[in-house]
Amino acid sequence: MEAVGLTKRYGGRTAVDEVSFSVSRGEVLGLLGPNGAGKTTAIRLLTTMLTPSSGQFRVAGVDCGKPNDIRRRIGVLPESAGYPEHHSGSEYLLYHARLFGLNRTDAAGTTERLLAEVGLADRASSAIATYSRGMRQRLGIARALVNDPAVVFFDEPTLGLDPAGQRQVLGIICDIAQRRGAAVVLSTHALTEVEDVCTSVLILRQGTVLAAGTVAEVIGTVAAQPTAQLRVPSDMIARAAESLASAPGLQLETTADTLRITLAPGGDGHVPDTNAVLRAVLDAAIPVLSFDLEGTRLSDAFLAMTSQEPR
Amino acid sequence: MSWYVVTAREWRDLWLGGRGPILMFALSILLSAITYLAATNQILNYLEQREAVNLTLQVAVAVGALVTLVVSADAISGERERATLESLLLAPVSRRAIVLGKLTAAVSLWLGAFAVAVPYLWALGRGVSALVPAMVTGLVVGTLLAVGLSAVGLLISIRSKSNKVSVSVSLFLLLALFAPTQLPTPHGAFGVFLDRLNPVAAALHYLTTVVVNGRGWTHDLSYLASSLAVALVGVPTLMILAPRIVHLVAGDHR
């Protein structure tokens, strides 16, 4: 899928402004941004629910001017999708499979296979009203796959799910990209999810692209100084600080129960090795309770980018 | 044939989901009461047999139109409110097929109402030569009204941002159309014109002309003009506008 200069205006307000990107089969693109960044609008443009004010996109070789043909090639799990409460899971999927042109026999086969894939085979004939939120999301994912799509869009798929449910849904999303070979666009606020499953990311703010590339590339665009929080037994903080005092490029700051270490780059731009820091503490026979690196995660880059004043 | 898939689903939701049978059960209770009153008044010679048939037929047509309009008014705005519209629109089905499917399913409620009314009409009109023409006329007139009002209900539903607004506007419209039927017969050219302009009042007047007065069905077809016009204008308007007006509204979560 490829989008070039995609723009959506509502009167004087621009919801999506000149967004361009591409995503290939087997890749997972993370679409990030604060609330109101234009993520859902971008997805609705790409899924033909909205018409772009300018720009264009192609899905599996089909131009955006053919919305019906595009819809045949995409699968979508919309944000906060609703479900007919009195239908069973299999009835719901059967209906959507029929809407995609499958005959009764094929639709029944697809329904059965997809329900098994998302782990709902044993609840196929239960009313959706009795499904948990996680089960509904998995049913929504199954619905998005009834047409064996080339591109699948997920808009906040883990919203409101417990950690187990989140992990399950993310596992299914990875599987869709890896095993089915579909291109996946994942819009989410959960940045750890993106780091775990996405091959590339696109960060939006107020409709414009702030950063794009692989997770490492995007983190690299923000030169935040990495810091580390070292927790050792409180009576050993002074000793820990002492053991690190001679190490080059470290700025130490002690609090009641932690030692905050700023890994300042030296004159050659080289950032001190975190392994060496840990080794020095361990060599001093100080037990490490925890060691958390900050400034090296996507969430750090995201916050640094999105907290800047908009242009 | 994707409209057929939508119709089948809507039909199933209406008739197997419980709404249709409940509405028909309520209609049958209403018709039972009316038939009982009409039959007992016949015995007392207060009501002629033809008038009793006409009264029951009019109630069936009116209730059929009411339920068809209300179900149509819920069709799109209800999907929007239940957050199921986006999933439906994401299928490679034309907007026309979606509204056509919903319209045909809604009209099935009128046909159900008519089927419920048939035994009551037969019980009241046994021995009356006008019974069969009354039933045929009732079916044609009711179908015209149901199709037209269903199209109007769907247009209201598409344009409404909430289901409450859609159903309220539709009920108000129906009330506005029914109210004149309870007023004395209008006199003067303007009054008659207004009577013919109102599809519900004109259709019920037409039924009275055929069933009670025993006129032929071709006697005064001008009374059918407005209900025919609503059906002939409403459905094509719906089909023409559907691709442009059936969409998600700004701020929709769906």
Side-chain angles (χ1 to χ4, degrees):
Chain A
M1 185 180 72
E2 187 180 21
V4 180
L6 208 57
T7 302
K8 180 66 182 175
R9 291 188 202 90
Y10 293 103
R13 191 175 69 84
T14 305
V16 172
D17 192 9
E18 294 282 332
V19 170
S20 302
F21 66 91
S22 66
V23 54
S24 306
R25 292 180 74 88
E27 285 185 3
V28 182
L29 171 75
L31 201 55
L32 308 178
N35 290 333
K39 302 186 296 291
T40 297
T41 304
I43 286 183
R44 284 185 174 168
L45 287 170
L46 296 165
T47 56
T48 74
M49 289 294 96
L50 296 174
T51 312
S53 305
S54 63
Q56 47 193 306
F57 63 95
R58 291 171 76 82
V59 175
V62 181
D63 190 77
C64 59
K66 296 175 181 168
N68 252 12
D69 290 345
I70 285 184
R71 287 200 287 271
R72 285 185 198 286
R73 289 164 172 79
I74 60 170
V76 188
L77 176 65
E79 183 187 2
S80 308
Y83 300 89
E85 301 282 323
H86 56 283
H87 289 185
S88 70
S90 66
E91 284 170 345
Y92 177 72
L93 281 192
L94 198 67
Y95 174 48
H96 282 277
R98 297 274 288 131
L99 285 177
F100 273 89
L102 272 65
N103 63 37
R104 275 178 205 282
T105 315
D106 291 347
T110 302
T111 296
E112 198 177 330
R113 180 172 50 79
L114 287 173
L115 284 170
E117 271 184 39
V118 298
L120 289 173
D122 57 333
R123 296 294 303 275
S125 53
S126 305
I128 297 174
T130 65
Y131 284 18
S132 67
R133 185 166 172 81
M135 290 165 75
R136 285 169 193 233
Q137 286 298 74
R138 281 186 277 143
L139 181 65
I141 292 173
R143 192 202 63 79
L145 300 175
V146 289
N147 54 330
D148 199 14
V151 184
V152 191
F153 297 86
F154 294 98
D155 197 355
E156 300 288 356
T158 56
L159 198 70
L161 298 185
D162 61 24
Q166 287 180 14
R167 202 176 320 125
Q168 203 167 18
V169 166
L170 289 176
I172 295 170
I173 291 172
C174 282
D175 198 49
I176 290 167
Q178 289 163 6
R179 206 163 54 80
R180 288 176 168 262
V184 173
V185 177
L186 169 66
S187 164
T188 180
H189 279 115
L191 299 170
T192 45
E193 288 178 2
V194 176
E195 280 185 289
D196 289 346
V197 303
C198 293
T199 46
S200 57
V201 293
L202 188 77
I203 300 184
L204 294 176
R205 188 183 60 187
Q206 294 185 352
T208 55
V209 177
L210 282 184
T214 63
V215 174
E217 284 168 352
V218 169
I219 292 170
T221 58
V222 179
Q225 208 162 44
T227 58
Q229 296 263 19
L230 174 69
R231 280 189 64 232
V232 296
S234 52
D235 57 334
M236 293 186 177
I237 289 178
R239 266 183 62 201
E242 218 171 275
S243 68
L244 294 171
S246 57
L250 298 185
Q251 293 166 11
L252 305 174
E253 191 184 323
T254 55
T255 63
D257 59 348
T258 56
L259 180 62
R260 189 174 183 80
I261 305 162
T262 303
L263 306 160
D268 58 351
H270 181 73
V271 178
D273 182 10
T274 49
N275 288 344
V277 172
L278 271 174
R279 202 174 303 120
V281 176
L282 292 170
D283 286 349
I286 300 168
V288 174
L289 300 178
S290 70
F291 185 77
D292 299 317
L293 267 176
E294 294 168 1
T296 57
R297 310 278 317 217
L298 183 62
S299 53
D300 302 310
F302 177 81
L303 286 173
M305 283 179 192
T306 55
S307 60
Q308 287 163 8
E309 278 299 305
R311 283 172 289 169
Chain B
M1 286 298 278
S2 46
W3 69 270
Y4 170 75
V5 176
V6 179
T7 300
R9 166 53 43 152
E10 294 291 326
W11 188 91
R12 190 186 172 286
D13 281 355
L14 268 180
W15 291 104
L16 302 181
R19 256 196 306 174
I22 289 172
L23 289 168
M24 292 308 116
F25 179 66
L27 174 64
S28 69
I29 290 176
L30 179 67
L31 290 180
S32 298
I34 287 170
T35 304
Y36 173 76
L37 290 172
T40 50
N41 280 337
Q42 259 178 265
I43 292 164
L44 295 170
N45 271 336
Y46 287 152
L47 204 60
E48 278 186 24
Q49 207 170 2
R50 283 167 173 269
E51 286 176 334
V53 169
N54 185 44
L55 176 67
T56 309
L57 192 59
Q58 289 200 350
V59 169
V61 168
V63 173
L66 169 77
V67 293
T68 302
L69 182 66
V70 170
V71 165
S72 303
D74 171 77
I76 300 292
S77 54
E79 294 260 18
R80 187 173 279 141
E81 202 145 288
R82 292 185 285 274
T84 50
L85 184 62
E86 188 167 0
S87 298
L88 186 58
L89 297 182
L90 282 165
V93 178
S94 72
R95 311 299 203 246
R96 281 195 187 106
I98 291 172
V99 293
L100 182 62
K102 286 180 177 288
L103 184 134
T104 47
V107 170
S108 76
L109 271 176
W110 148 247
L111 297 176
F114 182 76
V116 167
V118 166
Y120 295 97
L121 293 171
W122 180 79
L124 285 170
R126 259 181 311 178
V128 177
S129 60
L131 180 62
V132 173
M135 284 192 187
V136 173
T137 312
L139 180 63
V140 171
V141 170
T143 304
L144 276 180
L145 263 186
V147 169
L149 290 177
S150 180
V152 172
L154 272 161
L155 283 167
I156 293 169
S157 186
I158 291 167
R159 300 303 295 171
S160 300
K161 287 191 175 172
S162 84
N163 208 25
K164 238 182 234 175
V165 169
S166 175
V167 174
S168 305
V169 169
S170 301
L171 284 175
F172 178 79
L173 173 72
L174 203 67
L175 193 68
L177 293 175
F178 268 110
T181 66
Q182 302 306 307
L183 300 173
T185 313
H187 294 289
F190 187 65
V192 171
F193 171 73
L194 280 183
D195 200 34
R196 288 177 196 227
L197 196 64
N198 178 344
V200 174
L204 297 185
H205 184 99
Y206 180 77
L207 282 180
T208 305
T209 308
V210 173
V211 180
V212 179
N213 302 340
R215 309 279 189 189
W217 66 275
T218 52
H219 174 67
D220 196 351
L221 286 173
S222 62
Y223 274 102
L224 275 187
S226 54
S227 43
L228 189 67
V230 171
L232 290 183
V233 173
V235 175
T237 303
L238 182 67
M239 292 298 137
I240 290 166
L241 293 181
R244 274 184 287 160
I245 62 175
V246 178
H247 51 66
L248 301 176
V249 294
D252 247 350
H253 260 289
R254 305 39 111 169

